[in-house]
Amino acid sequence: MRQGEIMKARRFTARLTMAVAMAAGFLGLSTPTASADSVVSRIDVYSPSMDRWIANDVISPAGGGPAPTFYLLTGVGGGEDGISWFNNTGVRDFFDDKHVNVVMPVGGKFSMYTDWNADDPVLGRNKWQTYLTKELPAAVNARYNTTGVNALGGVSMAGGPVLDLAIQSPGTYRAVGSYSGCPRAGDPLGQAAVRSMVEILGGGNAANMWGPWGSPQWAAHDPLINAEKLRGTALFISTGNGLPGPVDGINSLAMAAGVVPGAVLEGITNMCTAALQGRFGQLGIPATFSFRPEGTHTWGLFEADMRASWPMIAGAIGA
């Protein structure tokens, strides 16, 4: 690796780590609105691959026959920190009149939602690709009235992995929504982004995930490199631009304290998203890209983009 690339990656890692660490508390400040009519449940699903039970929040339609399923993944804390779609957005109200099962796993902090090669002394056993593409769908289809048709959405840390999961498990998801993520891993900047979350914030060792940097697995899990494998999947990929605005829902001094780190983080995801758009353009792969003229790394932005993606996702899965 050239010296210039190394220095650029180090600066990128430092900015990203500071932004994520400072924004973590900020992202938990939103208050969700509960729905009185949705069928809401929490189910524990045993994962043989990880040898533990995983909690999942589920919103399901009251009736009307079999429904497709929309899996929603959260950010770097995996929802284990109480910060999630279920706790920090109005998903219960939004999906109240939608004919779809919405499943939100609780777990996967600092894991990149992938299968790790080895158990990590700090982060333990992570086999999230296996859980999300095989174990969880089987359990959901057995318990709920589903059509067997799936979509997947993910925010922040999960924004890149949801695209990777669609690449690694062709046909599992008809549609994918990637919100404010960085879909790259196989270049120095992608490596820096991944390691900032796994190692600096999570305390784990990314070599236990995909092997040492430069091994083929890092490139194999890079959506930018493997964009061709997303052809045929309905895709919605969004980002803000790092400038605070009404979409963020900043309405208190406490929340405003998170604007600066959130602005830095969203600026980085904007750069990653622009690179992916360019790659798709080169390959002629159809996808919907949303670049908002405002928005920092906040749940206000994430929820607005998820809602904006829903018509496309609903159409793809027959919801």
Side-chain angles (χ1 to χ4, degrees):
M1 188 186 303
R2 292 190 298 271
Q3 185 64 29
E5 289 180 325
I6 293 174
M7 294 304 297
K8 188 176 182 181
R10 286 176 177 170
R11 289 193 297 270
F12 179 86
T13 301
R15 292 196 300 268
L16 183 61
T17 302
M18 181 179 295
V20 174
M22 292 178 65
F26 167 60
L27 296 181
L29 293 171
S30 300
T31 302
T33 303
S35 169
D37 301 317
S38 299
V39 179
V40 179
S41 57
R42 171 167 281 204
I43 62 169
D44 293 325
V45 174
Y46 179 69
S47 167
S49 64
M50 291 187 279
D51 191 24
R52 66 178 185 263
W53 292 87
I54 309 296
N56 305 267
D57 291 313
V58 182
I59 304 167
S60 54
T69 304
F70 185 29
Y71 294 90
L72 270 176
L73 306 183
T74 191
V76 72
E80 298 176 55
D81 52 3
I83 301 171
S84 67
W85 289 102
F86 190 76
N87 292 328
N88 298 100
T89 73
V91 290
R92 281 170 279 185
D93 278 347
F94 180 70
F95 287 107
D96 188 48
D97 62 347
K98 311 290 191 297
H99 192 64
V100 63
N101 300 293
V102 182
V103 180
M104 295 159 281
V106 181
K109 61 182 179 182
F110 313 115
S111 70
M112 301 302 296
Y113 291 109
T114 190
D115 280 1
W116 287 44
N117 293 340
D119 293 354
D120 187 84
V122 175
L123 299 179
R125 177 169 297 176
N126 287 292
K127 297 290 183 182
W128 288 95
Q129 179 182 313
T130 298
Y131 179 73
L132 293 167
T133 62
K134 296 178 181 179
E135 296 168 352
L136 180 58
V140 169
N141 290 339
R143 178 165 181 146
Y144 294 92
N145 192 12
T146 77
T147 62
V149 176
N150 305 317
L152 179 64
V155 66
S156 193
M157 182 190 76
V162 293
L163 295 168
D164 180 48
L165 287 166
I167 290 168
Q168 303 300 325
S169 186
T172 300
Y173 310 105
R174 289 192 185 175
V176 175
S178 173
Y179 317 112
S180 296
C182 187
R184 55 199 298 179
D187 62 359
L189 295 185
Q191 177 206 17
V194 170
R195 293 183 68 178
S196 71
M197 290 179 278
V198 172
E199 296 183 343
I200 299 176
L201 292 178
N205 183 351
N208 290 325
M209 184 172 65
W210 295 327
W213 165 245
S215 67
Q217 280 182 286
W218 284 80
H221 288 279
D222 187 325
L224 191 66
I225 294 174
N226 298 285
E228 178 61 42
K229 296 180 181 180
L230 290 167
R231 190 185 298 275
T233 302
L235 302 167
F236 183 99
I237 302 163
S238 63
T239 179
N241 67 354
L243 297 177
V247 72
D248 293 308
I250 307 300
N251 56 17
S252 74
L253 291 177
M255 294 179 70
V259 167
V260 173
V264 173
L265 201 52
E266 200 64 26
I268 293 169
T269 69
N270 186 282
M271 177 179 65
C272 294
T273 303
L276 189 64
Q277 183 186 44
R279 177 71 171 152
F280 278 19
Q282 291 172 350
L283 297 173
I285 297 175
T288 299
F289 283 87
S290 174
F291 292 86
R292 287 185 181 269
E294 62 178 15
T296 62
H297 211 66
T298 61
W299 280 106
L301 172 66
F302 306 154
E303 181 175 359
D305 283 340
M306 184 278 291
R307 289 174 179 246
S309 74
W310 178 245
M312 185 215 72
I313 292 173
I317 63 176

